[in-house]
Amino acid sequence: MYGQTPPPRRDLYPAIEAYATEMLKVSDLHTIYVEQSGNPNGCPAVALHGGPGGGLSPEMRRFFDPKRFRILAMDQRGCGRSTPHAELRENTTWDLVADIERVREKFGIDKWVVFGGSWGSTLSLAYAAKHPERVAGLVLRGIFLLRKSEIDWFYQDGASHVYPDAFERYAQAIPPSERGDYLGAYHKRLTSSDWAERVRAARAWARWEGETISIAGPSALPSRFNEDRFVEAFARIENHYFMNGGFFESDGWLLEQAPRLRNIPCRIAQGRYDMCTPMKSAWDLKQRWPELELEVIHDAGHSSLEPGIVDALVRATDWMADRANW
């Protein structure tokens, strides 16, 4: 009611350590890092990190009640502790979907809650489209359908109008003659045989996202966006996926799958001022999938660690523990 104080926002659950880790060979070339945390007898959930190429962070475990969830997570191909580092060969959306299935089968899980934000939402939706019978529920943040319009908005012209200062730094890594196609210009440099050139480009590419990820803007740049090892994998793998349209059959393929997912419980937290994955994608998905619950956070951008996003995601995982179709 008018004048009532809103309830306090939920915070992350306390920090926990993984109780089991493993390096899982998924092809002749790739080995991925997999970890488990929380309650070994709890509701299974898989947490899918962003990027692509972002790797896991310890905070991902903290969106789940560790007494109620068995939390599985992995560094996707080419990033984090997975090997080989920053490798682009045998690295597609469908390779990652197959890896998720290998993990599910290896650990004897029938169905699980799938959790992901940004690129993690893309991968979650792609996995659900291929294996809907294995998904007990979806908890998503910052919906990214990997359409050309979304790539153009962030990497060519759109977010640049909101963060012209940060975009200028991104643009300066590319000669003026090549700025009509930043994606292609960066691809040439990120796949160069010259390591120094690759890292220079990776720093600029990653910093642009790091400076726009929070509603606070460039001042909130996460520290790992200054680490060469992180940015090399992050920039190379992101650009590789975006150059290839996410390896989807058509530009709107993920959105086209929505009607097939309507029986899966789904909750989405979307920052109103998300510059990286603007709200239109979540809105478009909701139009195709009326049953999903879309919560718009009116004082948040893209970062999963902004207070309103944390609150919504923690409430969503609690809700899934209570109500998902196990």
Side-chain angles (χ1 to χ4, degrees):
M1 292 178 63
Y2 179 76
Q4 287 188 340
T5 303
R9 282 175 161 172
R10 299 286 301 278
D11 201 353
L12 294 170
Y13 280 99
I16 56 172
E17 296 297 324
Y19 65 75
T21 65
E22 175 170 345
M23 297 299 292
L24 177 64
K25 193 164 185 62
V26 292
S27 78
D28 290 342
L29 179 61
H30 286 277
T31 301
I32 63 169
Y33 168 85
V34 183
E35 66 171 42
Q36 298 187 73
S37 57
N39 179 356
N41 298 312
C43 306
V46 60
L48 304 177
H49 66 68
L56 291 174
S57 63
E59 289 80 14
M60 291 189 71
R61 307 170 191 142
R62 301 179 61 192
F63 289 97
F64 303 89
D65 183 342
K67 295 179 180 178
R68 303 178 73 191
F69 278 99
R70 177 188 179 189
I71 309 151
L72 292 95
M74 65 202 79
D75 283 321
Q76 295 158 27
R77 294 189 183 201
C79 64
R81 285 151 286 192
S82 295
T83 60
H85 181 71
E87 179 58 63
L88 304 183
R89 291 173 297 165
E90 297 178 20
N91 199 337
T92 74
T93 302
W94 307 118
D95 290 318
L96 302 188
V97 166
D99 292 347
I100 297 166
E101 265 297 272
R102 286 189 186 93
V103 170
R104 185 193 63 77
E105 291 170 352
K106 177 177 176 58
F107 292 103
I109 294 165
D110 180 50
K111 57 172 56 179
W112 48 8
V113 170
V114 181
F115 175 101
S118 191
W119 160 255
S121 78
T122 319
L123 185 56
S124 296
L125 291 166
Y127 175 79
K130 290 295 185 182
H131 303 283
E133 74 284 358
R134 299 304 180 187
V135 181
L138 288 161
V139 177
L140 308 176
R141 183 264 313 168
I143 297 299
F144 181 37
L145 301 175
L146 221 158
R147 294 173 293 183
K148 184 179 184 299
S149 60
E150 296 167 74
I151 301 298
D152 288 347
W153 156 268
F154 192 64
Y155 291 103
Q156 190 66 37
D157 185 60
S160 56
H161 294 250
V162 183
Y163 287 109
D165 47 348
F167 195 81
E168 183 175 327
R169 290 185 281 276
Y170 165 80
Q172 283 176 347
I174 303 300
S177 61
E178 297 182 55
R179 291 178 186 173
D181 177 15
Y182 283 107
L183 198 63
Y186 267 101
H187 181 73
K188 182 168 69 175
R189 289 157 179 81
L190 290 168
T191 56
S192 168
S193 59
D194 182 336
W195 182 85
E197 182 178 34
R198 290 201 309 270
V199 170
R200 280 194 301 271
R203 288 171 186 159
W205 173 282
R207 187 178 182 92
W208 163 236
E209 185 163 335
E211 290 191 328
T212 55
I213 200 170
S214 169
I215 198 169
S219 65
L221 177 74
S223 60
R224 67 178 183 165
F225 283 83
N226 289 314
E227 299 168 5
D228 285 351
R229 180 177 172 79
F230 170 79
V231 301
E232 182 183 18
F234 181 77
R236 274 171 55 83
I237 296 172
E238 273 200 341
N239 180 273
H240 165 68
Y241 273 68
F242 301 163
M243 285 289 293
N244 287 283
F247 301 93
F248 295 122
E249 296 171 17
S250 61
D251 188 48
W253 188 86
L254 269 184
L255 196 58
E256 293 164 7
Q257 309 313 303
R260 301 178 57 240
L261 307 179
R262 290 176 61 177
N263 291 327
I264 300 175
C266 178
R267 282 198 164 187
I268 295 172
Q270 177 69 46
R272 168 67 74 179
Y273 300 107
D274 189 330
M275 291 296 113
C276 303
T277 58
M279 184 178 151
K280 187 178 189 307
S281 294
W283 188 258
D284 289 348
L285 188 62
K286 172 70 172 174
Q287 307 317 300
R288 297 284 189 99
W289 186 353
E291 296 82 4
L292 70 77
E293 297 191 30
L294 172 60
E295 183 171 352
V296 179
I297 314 303
H298 295 282
D299 59 350
H302 185 67
S303 173
S304 64
L305 298 180
E306 291 181 291
I309 301 288
V310 169
D311 170 59
L313 291 176
V314 169
R315 285 188 286 103
T317 58
D318 282 356
W319 185 88
M320 285 293 173
D322 291 336
R323 296 174 176 82
N325 179 26
W326 298 101

